[in-house]
Amino acid sequence: MSLLSARGLTRHFGGIRAVDGVDFDLEPGEIHALIGPNGAGKTTLVSLLSGRIPAQAGTITLAGEDITRLPAHARVRRGLAYTFQITSIFPGLTVFDNVALAVQGGRQPGALGPTVEAALARVGLQGMGAEVAGTLSYGHQRLLELAMGLALAPRVLILDEPTQGLAAGEIEGFKALVRGLVPQVAVLLIEHNMEVVMDLATRITVLTSGRVLARGTPAEIRADKAVQEAYLGA
Amino acid sequence: MRAWAVHLAVLAALLAAGLLLPGYHTTNLARILVLATFAAGYNLAFGYTGLLSLGHAMFFAAGMYAAALPAWHWGWPAAPALLAGTAGGALMALATGALALRTAGVSFMIVTLMFAQAFALAILYFNGWTGGDEGFVIPSASRHLFGTSLAADTPRFLAAWSLFALGLLLSLALVRSRFGRVMVALRENEERARMLGINPFAAKLKVLVISGAWSGAAGAAYALLFGYAGGSFAGIQYSILPMLYVLLGGAGTTLGAVLGAGLMFYLTEFASSVTSAWLFLVGLVLVVLVLFAPKGILGWVRARLWRELP
Ligand SMILES: Nc1ncnc2c1ncn2[C@@H]1O[C@H](COP(=O)(O)OP(=O)(O)O)[C@@H](O)[C@H]1O
Ligand SMILES: [Mg+2]
């Protein structure tokens, strides 16, 4: 059984069919990449899954439970974590408080101190708890965002363009980090950097104009004629 | 630890001032501390959680009437009246918050303002029972606590100080707790807080109820300590006052409310003694403040001198 699954998911904005009847399955322990050109509907799709915006039609289940009508915060508490495409932290709070909020709101709200420090250490921000989040460099803010996602102790981690704006060295660290998350966590990764996608993903779904164009392993997607024409531009 | 020490020192200084200064200041201080308690409750909603309410007068007045009406009509003593006032403020916040919190930002300001106006009008409308605009004097039999009369300077001050001290220490504990962190998160970035598993509506309603309880306790104490309840306390000016105190002292700082209330009180006193245009002088000070220290006095201290200031 899929961990996270959607059937006929639909969301239109006026005349724009941002997500138009999408079926989607995320298996336990996989790294699933969601790719497609700008405006394909990737962010909208994961916003529907995470509950940030309500679906107009379709159903979503998490580990067999229908969560279509659940508000976003309740989905988070059930283990569905979302990190923002546009870095969204609490700039006025310390790094510690940012991560502590995630620990409190997540599935294992135990002792804060060690859990926060562990999450920071996983992304390479150990010892930076006392800094004010808004004063961090852009790359460090992205890592903080990631630490907050991890601190939720999720079953599904949705990453919306996590490597955007990271330096080459930071991307290598990021790849190792994501690899280390599976199989305890299933990862849904929206990513523009094809090298990262081909390296990390066990399966890929290609979205264009709100519809699924293709899905398969990296090798299958690379060989797919329709994908090449529509997107990879090979 | 340092934060607790600073707060205890402030409380000790206030206690000493109230007991050592001449009676005129003792009475002023009692009034300031009750209003500061009101402002501290407002600060939890506005300063810490970012809920800009324009209707807190209704919580203050709900507490005032929930204490004063039973005292007037049924001769309740001070202690149960005070508890009734606290509950009255909390219930009023629960009922209005459940509706008003479906909105945010400017709509929230307008909805809370409308609720407060409706409540103020209701007090006037039922004047046979509430005393309306003229209000009523609290029977002196109800103004006794632990056998001493609250009408005398020193016991009145001690009662006000105790209420304020309790509120201050509770709010310090609250803002340093896990829930306090959630409050600030909702102020800073509600959408992010939601995606960290926080239910914004439930959390904000909880804050508003706590804030309402505080305001209600202050309203009840005001009636019992100063012996009068009236419709003017439900008016818009009593929604603006706590906001001014908090802005002056420092929004989102535990000690900002009392600092703001005290400064504003003595500024008004001074201004009205030197000029009949005292409102102008007060307004001028506020404009200067907004221009040069938009975070208030303690907000400035926190930014420049002591970052850990709670
Ligand atoms: N809140 C919104 N209101 C109106 N249109 C939107 C909104 N969000 C997304 N869209 C539109 O939906 C389409 C898909 O957007 P998005 O999901 O952000 O794409 P992607 O993440 O794949 O780049 C785009 O045409 C975008 O302009
Ligand atoms: Mg996007």
Side-chain angles (χ1 to χ4, degrees):
Chain A
M1 184 183 63
S2 304
L3 187 51
L4 177 66
S5 125
R7 290 293 170 269
L9 218 47
T10 299
R11 176 76 206 201
H12 297 173
F13 294 109
I16 301 170
R17 298 162 171 245
V19 171
D20 198 26
V22 168
D23 294 348
F24 177 81
D25 287 286
L26 184 71
E27 306 301 331
E30 75 169 332
I31 300 176
H32 195 133
L34 188 58
I35 65 173
N38 265 330
K42 304 181 295 295
T43 294
T44 306
L45 175 57
V46 296
S47 297
L48 294 171
L49 293 174
S50 66
R52 283 185 67 212
I53 51 178
Q56 285 161 335
T59 58
I60 308 164
T61 60
L62 177 67
E65 182 193 6
D66 187 336
I67 59 166
T68 317
R69 301 262 161 270
L70 274 191
H73 59 86
R75 299 187 198 191
V76 174
R77 296 227 172 231
R78 281 170 174 71
L80 192 58
Y82 175 83
T83 67
F84 286 69
Q85 170 168 6
I86 297 161
T87 307
S88 181
I89 55 173
F90 303 101
L93 301 189
T94 61
V95 169
F96 178 91
D97 280 339
N98 271 269
V99 181
L101 279 160
V103 176
Q104 285 176 214
R107 287 198 307 143
Q108 289 157 16
L112 290 185
T115 321
V116 169
E117 197 48 41
L120 288 177
R122 272 176 104 170
V123 301
L125 291 180
Q126 63 275 13
M128 296 183 72
E131 315 244 336
V132 175
T135 64
L136 296 183
S137 70
Y138 178 79
H140 281 174
Q141 291 191 12
R142 289 301 295 167
L143 293 174
L144 174 59
E145 174 95 41
L146 193 56
M148 290 161 80
L150 297 178
L152 287 165
R155 294 196 273 184
V156 173
L157 179 59
I158 298 174
L159 301 169
D160 197 348
E161 307 212 9
T163 65
Q164 203 179 44
L166 290 192
E170 291 172 317
I171 289 181
E172 282 312 310
F174 167 79
K175 285 200 290 196
L177 174 67
V178 172
R179 262 195 216 100
L181 294 178
V182 289
Q184 289 83 3
V185 181
V187 178
L188 173 53
L189 173 71
I190 297 181
E191 184 56 69
H192 270 304
N193 184 331
M194 274 310 132
E195 198 199 310
V196 173
V197 170
M198 293 301 169
D199 250 24
L200 279 180
T202 39
R203 282 200 307 152
I204 298 174
T205 294
V206 186
L207 217 57
T208 53
S209 315
R211 291 174 164 274
V212 174
L213 179 68
R215 58 181 118 226
T217 63
E220 286 166 355
I221 293 300
R222 219 175 320 200
D224 192 305
K225 281 279 179 303
V227 175
Q228 284 174 2
E229 278 164 26
Y231 178 50
L232 291 180
Chain B
M1 274 308 102
R2 190 162 156 213
W4 287 99
V6 167
H7 285 71
L8 290 175
V10 168
L11 286 175
L14 285 169
L15 182 62
L19 295 179
L20 300 177
L21 290 175
Y24 162 73
H25 290 287
T26 307
T27 306
N28 283 350
L29 266 180
R31 208 178 289 271
I32 288 168
L33 289 179
V34 173
L35 290 175
T37 304
F38 179 27
Y42 184 77
N43 194 22
L44 292 176
F46 166 65
Y48 283 95
T49 318
L51 293 170
L52 210 165
S53 150
L54 285 183
H56 261 57
M58 75 180 136
F59 307 145
F60 186 75
M64 174 173 270
Y65 280 94
L69 288 178
W72 186 34
H73 290 295
W74 307 311
W76 278 27
L82 206 56
L83 290 180
T86 309
L91 280 177
M92 187 63 134
L94 181 66
T96 54
L99 296 168
L101 284 172
R102 288 167 203 285
T103 65
V106 175
S107 315
F108 181 76
M109 290 164 58
I110 292 170
V111 171
T112 49
L113 178 68
M114 299 312 273
F115 273 131
Q117 290 305 97
F119 184 62
L121 288 174
I123 287 172
L124 299 189
Y125 184 80
F126 295 105
N127 62 355
W129 208 64
T130 63
D133 213 9
E134 278 176 29
F136 55 92
V137 171
I138 315 292
S140 65
S142 292
R143 297 178 61 199
H144 281 78
L145 199 62
F146 306 125
T148 42
S149 167
L150 294 172
D153 279 350
T154 302
R156 172 162 56 199
F157 167 75
L158 285 175
W161 181 85
S162 307
L163 178 75
F164 173 75
L166 180 70
L168 182 70
L169 296 179
L170 279 178
S171 63
L172 180 61
L174 179 69
V175 303
R176 289 163 70 96
S177 71
R178 287 189 178 198
F179 187 66
R181 191 180 280 126
V182 169
M183 287 162 59
V184 176
L186 288 169
R187 180 191 73 197
E188 292 271 310
N189 188 346
E190 178 173 333
E191 175 63 4
R192 190 62 177 112
R194 195 159 70 97
M195 297 314 290
L196 292 178
I198 292 160
N199 180 345
F201 178 80
K204 288 194 281 191
L205 188 57
K206 192 167 150 186
V207 171
L208 214 54
V209 169
I210 295 172
S211 176
W214 239 259
S215 309
Y222 203 94
L224 293 166
L225 296 185
F226 300 102
Y228 167 77
S232 60
F233 291 105
I236 175 79
Q237 62 273 32
Y238 275 86
S239 290
I240 302 294
L241 270 185
M243 185 194 303
L244 288 185
Y245 295 163
V246 164
L247 285 174
L248 178 62
T253 64
T254 47
L255 290 168
V258 67
L259 182 61
L263 282 177
M264 200 70 164
F265 189 92
Y266 279 103
L267 176 68
T268 312
E269 284 268 307
F270 169 75
S272 52
S273 74
V274 294
T275 166
S276 57
W278 60 273
L279 258 176
F280 172 77
L281 204 60
V282 172
L284 191 69
V285 169
L286 284 172
V287 169
V288 168
L289 180 86
V290 168
L291 287 179
F292 296 103
K295 290 179 174 167
I297 296 165
L298 292 181
W300 183 87
V301 169
R302 172 148 65 193
R304 298 291 170 85
L305 304 174
W306 185 22
R307 229 189 63 201
E308 265 78 53
L309 183 74

